[in-house]
mmCIF file of all heavy atoms in Angstrom:
data_model
loop_
_atom_site.group_PDB
_atom_site.id
_atom_site.type_symbol
_atom_site.label_atom_id
_atom_site.label_comp_id
_atom_site.label_asym_id
_atom_site.label_seq_id
_atom_site.Cartn_x
_atom_site.Cartn_y
_atom_site.Cartn_z
ATOM 1 N N ALA A 404 31.760 89.595 -90.361
ATOM 2 C CA ALA A 404 31.901 91.074 -90.779
ATOM 3 C C ALA A 404 32.143 91.117 -92.243
ATOM 4 O O ALA A 404 33.041 90.454 -92.717
ATOM 5 C CB ALA A 404 33.018 91.657 -89.996
ATOM 6 N N GLY A 405 31.391 91.936 -92.916
ATOM 7 C CA GLY A 405 31.581 92.199 -94.368
ATOM 8 C C GLY A 405 32.025 93.625 -94.591
ATOM 9 O O GLY A 405 31.739 94.469 -93.790
ATOM 10 N N LYS A 406 32.782 93.799 -95.706
ATOM 11 C CA LYS A 406 33.158 95.217 -96.029
ATOM 12 C C LYS A 406 32.053 95.863 -96.748
ATOM 13 O O LYS A 406 31.444 95.275 -97.631
ATOM 14 C CB LYS A 406 34.385 95.070 -96.902
ATOM 15 C CG LYS A 406 35.683 94.595 -96.162
ATOM 16 C CD LYS A 406 36.875 94.685 -97.107
ATOM 17 C CE LYS A 406 38.030 93.979 -96.500
ATOM 18 N NZ LYS A 406 39.174 93.773 -97.375
ATOM 19 N N ALA A 407 31.803 97.130 -96.377
ATOM 20 C CA ALA A 407 30.882 97.957 -97.175
ATOM 21 C C ALA A 407 31.365 98.089 -98.602
ATOM 22 O O ALA A 407 32.629 98.439 -98.717
ATOM 23 C CB ALA A 407 30.614 99.293 -96.441
ATOM 24 N N PRO A 408 30.584 98.061 -99.600
ATOM 25 C CA PRO A 408 31.152 98.254 -100.957
ATOM 26 C C PRO A 408 31.723 99.613 -101.177
ATOM 27 O O PRO A 408 31.190 100.565 -100.467
ATOM 28 C CB PRO A 408 29.885 98.000 -101.848
ATOM 29 C CG PRO A 408 28.837 97.442 -101.056
ATOM 30 C CD PRO A 408 29.172 97.729 -99.610
ATOM 31 N N GLU A 409 32.671 99.811 -101.992
ATOM 32 C CA GLU A 409 33.265 101.074 -102.366
ATOM 33 C C GLU A 409 32.093 102.159 -102.542
ATOM 34 O O GLU A 409 31.129 101.971 -103.223
ATOM 35 C CB GLU A 409 33.949 100.912 -103.768
ATOM 36 C CG GLU A 409 34.883 101.911 -104.165
ATOM 37 C CD GLU A 409 36.092 102.003 -103.206
ATOM 38 O OE1 GLU A 409 36.615 100.875 -102.800
ATOM 39 O OE2 GLU A 409 36.595 103.138 -102.887
ATOM 40 N N GLY A 410 32.314 103.272 -101.872
ATOM 41 C CA GLY A 410 31.407 104.375 -101.951
ATOM 42 C C GLY A 410 30.113 104.281 -101.156
ATOM 43 O O GLY A 410 29.224 105.125 -101.321
ATOM 44 N N ILE A 411 29.945 103.192 -100.414
ATOM 45 C CA ILE A 411 28.703 103.074 -99.624
ATOM 46 C C ILE A 411 29.122 103.051 -98.108
ATOM 47 O O ILE A 411 29.988 102.307 -97.689
ATOM 48 C CB ILE A 411 27.953 101.808 -100.016
ATOM 49 C CG1 ILE A 411 27.624 101.880 -101.518
ATOM 50 C CG2 ILE A 411 26.741 101.529 -99.087
ATOM 51 C CD1 ILE A 411 26.353 101.339 -101.925
ATOM 52 N N ASP A 412 28.402 103.902 -97.347
ATOM 53 C CA ASP A 412 28.626 104.041 -95.952
ATOM 54 C C ASP A 412 28.038 102.803 -95.160
ATOM 55 O O ASP A 412 26.874 102.575 -95.265
ATOM 56 C CB ASP A 412 28.042 105.368 -95.468
ATOM 57 C CG ASP A 412 28.242 105.556 -93.934
ATOM 58 O OD1 ASP A 412 28.856 104.672 -93.304
ATOM 59 O OD2 ASP A 412 27.798 106.650 -93.508
ATOM 60 N N GLY A 413 28.898 102.089 -94.477
ATOM 61 C CA GLY A 413 28.471 100.867 -93.729
ATOM 62 C C GLY A 413 27.378 101.298 -92.674
ATOM 63 O O GLY A 413 26.410 100.430 -92.494
ATOM 64 N N GLN A 414 27.366 102.432 -92.152
ATOM 65 C CA GLN A 414 26.331 102.844 -91.164
ATOM 66 C C GLN A 414 24.999 102.965 -91.850
ATOM 67 O O GLN A 414 23.991 102.757 -91.272
ATOM 68 C CB GLN A 414 26.762 104.136 -90.488
ATOM 69 C CG GLN A 414 27.915 103.991 -89.596
ATOM 70 C CD GLN A 414 27.761 103.046 -88.468
ATOM 71 O OE1 GLN A 414 28.402 101.947 -88.557
ATOM 72 N NE2 GLN A 414 26.930 103.322 -87.497
ATOM 73 N N LYS A 415 25.059 103.359 -93.183
ATOM 74 C CA LYS A 415 23.797 103.528 -93.910
ATOM 75 C C LYS A 415 23.174 102.141 -94.274
ATOM 76 O O LYS A 415 21.939 102.024 -94.222
ATOM 77 C CB LYS A 415 24.073 104.293 -95.239
ATOM 78 C CG LYS A 415 24.301 105.786 -95.041
ATOM 79 C CD LYS A 415 23.621 106.602 -96.183
ATOM 80 C CE LYS A 415 23.706 108.107 -95.851
ATOM 81 N NZ LYS A 415 24.675 108.778 -96.690
ATOM 82 N N ILE A 416 24.039 101.142 -94.415
ATOM 83 C CA ILE A 416 23.584 99.847 -94.664
ATOM 84 C C ILE A 416 22.789 99.366 -93.425
ATOM 85 O O ILE A 416 21.622 98.940 -93.487
ATOM 86 C CB ILE A 416 24.653 98.802 -94.929
ATOM 87 C CG1 ILE A 416 25.505 99.268 -96.169
ATOM 88 C CG2 ILE A 416 24.219 97.379 -95.122
ATOM 89 C CD1 ILE A 416 26.767 98.437 -96.520
#
Side-chain angles (χ1 to χ4, degrees):
K406 292 185 187 168
E409 196 66 37
I411 301 214
D412 179 358
Q414 293 303 105
K415 286 217 173 107
I416 300 174

